[in-house]
Amino acid sequence: MTNLPTVGHFISGHRQPSTSGRTAEVFDPALGVATKHVALANQAEIESAIKSANAAFPAWRDTSLAKRQQVMFAFRELLNARKGELAQIITAEHGKVLSDALGEITRGQEVVEFATGIPHLMKGSYSENASTGVDVYSTRQPLGVVGVISPFNFPAMVPMWFFPLAIAAGNTVVLKPSEKDPSAAIWLAELFKEAGLPDGVFNVLNGDKEAVDGLLTHPDVAAISFVGSTPIANYVYETGTKHGKRVQALGGAKNHMVVLPDSDLELAADAAINAGFGSAGERCMAISAIVAVEPIASALVARIKSRMADIKTGDGTKGSDMGPLVTKVHRDKVASYIEAGEKAGATLVKDGRKVKVDGEGFFLGPTLFDNVTPDMSIYKEEIFGPVLSILRVNTYDEALALVNSHPYGNGTSIFTNDGGAARRFQNEVEVGMVGINVPI
Ligand code: NAD
């Protein structure tokens, strides 16, 4: 175990070995074995990453928008040409199948493409004679050093939600990836350097709570972007704002899908499979609760169940449909939810704990519960695994009330052929984002 390679940091344009003496194991979830260690930064390493970003800021802020745009275009081209390599890295540490890994890179690449429009995005505004004889203008300016703290489930896409735009806008960045899958971030930083990004503009600091706290409290960090679980999001928001930083912190999720009696059940079942079991349910937009408005629940369950039989769970590099979960701890936690659902009296239609996969990886097959009720933990809590719950209700009003009373949000989708029902859904569902599928 001790001769495993260690993923260090990327500071001032170079890979930096770990000096803290603190490390964590990084697993290949499909094999179930540790394949690397990751450095867990100490105070000196935190200081070094922030100092590097701070030193690079004045020159990068003063670099023309045209030049920054050129670097973004070059980064986009390199990423597009070499995304296959990045997908392999993601699959080897996260476990998701290669097509899911490529999908997340594509979503991240879209942000890079958006950031190539930075000259336009940085435009200010001008109002003549806002008050008598007074003209008013506003400009967009970079803030300085920005900290990005990201979760395990999208080791490339979530960092790419933030660092391309932050950097294109003239900020410098210290990214603290998840310690469960740290290599994608280092690969992206090296690629960005190859695209012409000056040293120090983009730094990767690997670590745990100590590194996060370092970013949240350091006087030279101006802003924080965080994505992860809700308790940590709350902590990051409170601590960062207390230290005078601008903070955006995105937390956990539980997404509903409402299926009305007039909907196309084949389409709804396909969507449930893709949205429930893609990336083994380790997605903040994964569908977790399906609210079936009677009398279609049994017909929907039958369709989902029959499709589940075709899902091949296995190593993400070997043509499987669904890979393992990220760690044994997480696999066991998701399995404990299945046990809790059974104990609470839900009908276990398909039990993912019984899946047969070669090897010792952190596998759990797709799982389906029927007759789930709102008081059950499998409904109330974020499971973050391949577990779908069917809740049966009798009316559309009941479905809307259920969705709106859930403490978690992120997205909800509706299946119906009735445009009026869809419109009502759009106006009355309170959770963040609404996707409406009206197959008419
Ligand atoms: P997590 O909260 O455990 O970790 C997120 C980051 O916080 C990691 O970099 C981790 O090192 C750090 N961290 C963990 N514990 C910490 C502590 N005590 N103090 C300071 N920092 C700490 O989340 P995760 O398990 O990596 O990711 C899964 C979660 O992310 C799920 O809840 C999922 O819903 C959420 N997520 C949300 C979105 C969204 O858009 N809202 C997107 C992706 C993931």
Side-chain angles (χ1 to χ4, degrees), residues 149-154 158 161 176-180 207-209 212-213 226-230 232-233 235-236 250-253 283-284 382 384 410:
I149 302 157
S150 54
F152 80 83
N153 66 316
F154 286 115
V158 170
W161 282 352
K176 207 301 282 175
S178 167
E179 55 273 54
K180 296 189 178 92
D208 54 7
K209 178 172 165 48
V212 172
D213 286 345
F226 170 89
V227 177
S229 60
T230 297
I232 310 299
Y235 170 77
V236 164
L250 286 73
R283 284 202 291 219
C284 57
E382 183 186 36
F384 222 56
N410 233 20

Side-chain angles (χ1 to χ4, degrees), residues 157-437:
M157 182 190 79
V158 170
M160 279 197 276
W161 282 352
F162 304 114
F163 75 74
L165 280 162
I167 288 173
N171 301 286
T172 57
V173 167
V174 177
L175 164 63
K176 207 301 282 175
S178 167
E179 55 273 54
K180 296 189 178 92
D181 41 19
S183 298
I186 302 274
W187 188 92
L188 285 164
E190 285 187 321
L191 199 76
F192 220 161
K193 177 178 166 125
E194 205 177 317
L197 192 71
D199 291 351
V201 175
F202 184 30
N203 306 274
V204 179
L205 179 72
N206 274 309
D208 54 7
K209 178 172 165 48
E210 187 168 342
V212 172
D213 286 345
L215 290 171
L216 296 179
T217 56
H218 200 289
D220 290 341
V221 175
I224 297 284
S225 291
F226 170 89
V227 177
S229 60
T230 297
I232 310 299
N234 281 328
Y235 170 77
V236 164
Y237 187 81
E238 279 166 21
T239 313
T241 51
K242 203 163 77 189
H243 287 83
K245 300 176 197 331
R246 300 186 190 192
V247 180
Q248 52 180 343
L250 286 73
K254 185 103 184 169
N255 306 298
H256 290 74
M257 173 171 149
V258 175
V259 184
L260 293 188
D262 65 343
S263 62
D264 179 334
L265 292 186
E266 304 299 337
L267 194 71
D270 286 341
I273 294 289
N274 291 331
F277 304 127
S279 266
E282 292 170 321
R283 284 202 291 219
C284 57
M285 290 302 294
I287 288 289
S288 171
I290 300 177
V291 185
V293 182
E294 293 291 22
I296 51 84
S298 295
L300 180 65
V301 168
R303 282 167 175 75
I304 295 173
K305 186 183 173 193
S306 83
R307 283 163 173 76
M308 286 171 75
D310 297 332
I311 297 175
K312 191 176 158 225
T313 305
D315 188 325
T317 63
K318 296 190 175 147
S320 311
D321 301 313
M322 198 177 89
L325 295 177
V326 68
T327 57
K328 182 176 184 312
V329 172
H330 188 55
R331 194 215 87 98
D332 292 349
K333 182 177 167 200
V334 177
S336 77
Y337 273 110
I338 301 176
E339 198 179 318
E342 246 187 327
K343 277 199 184 130
T347 311
L348 188 51
V349 180
K350 183 146 179 74
D351 185 352
R353 295 170 298 183
K354 295 187 176 150
V355 73
K356 294 268 177 292
V357 182
D358 288 340
E360 301 298 312
F362 311 136
F363 293 103
L364 192 68
T367 296
L368 179 64
F369 276 111
D370 193 3
N371 299 308
V372 175
T373 53
D375 55 310
M376 296 178 183
S377 65
I378 51 170
Y379 175 68
K380 288 195 294 195
E381 294 165 26
E382 183 186 36
I383 299 176
F384 222 56
V387 181
L388 278 178
S389 294
I390 306 276
L391 289 94
R392 295 175 176 235
V393 298
N394 290 313
T395 64
Y396 188 19
D397 282 340
E398 270 182 78
L400 290 183
L402 197 58
V403 174
N404 282 335
S405 64
H406 202 285
Y408 277 113
N410 233 20
T412 304
S413 60
I414 182 170
F415 282 77
T416 177
N417 271 314
D418 176 352
R423 170 61 63 88
R424 211 186 135 199
F425 192 77
Q426 186 167 22
N427 293 335
E428 294 182 28
V429 165
E430 290 158 8
V431 289
M433 197 165 64
V434 181
I436 296 184
N437 193 320

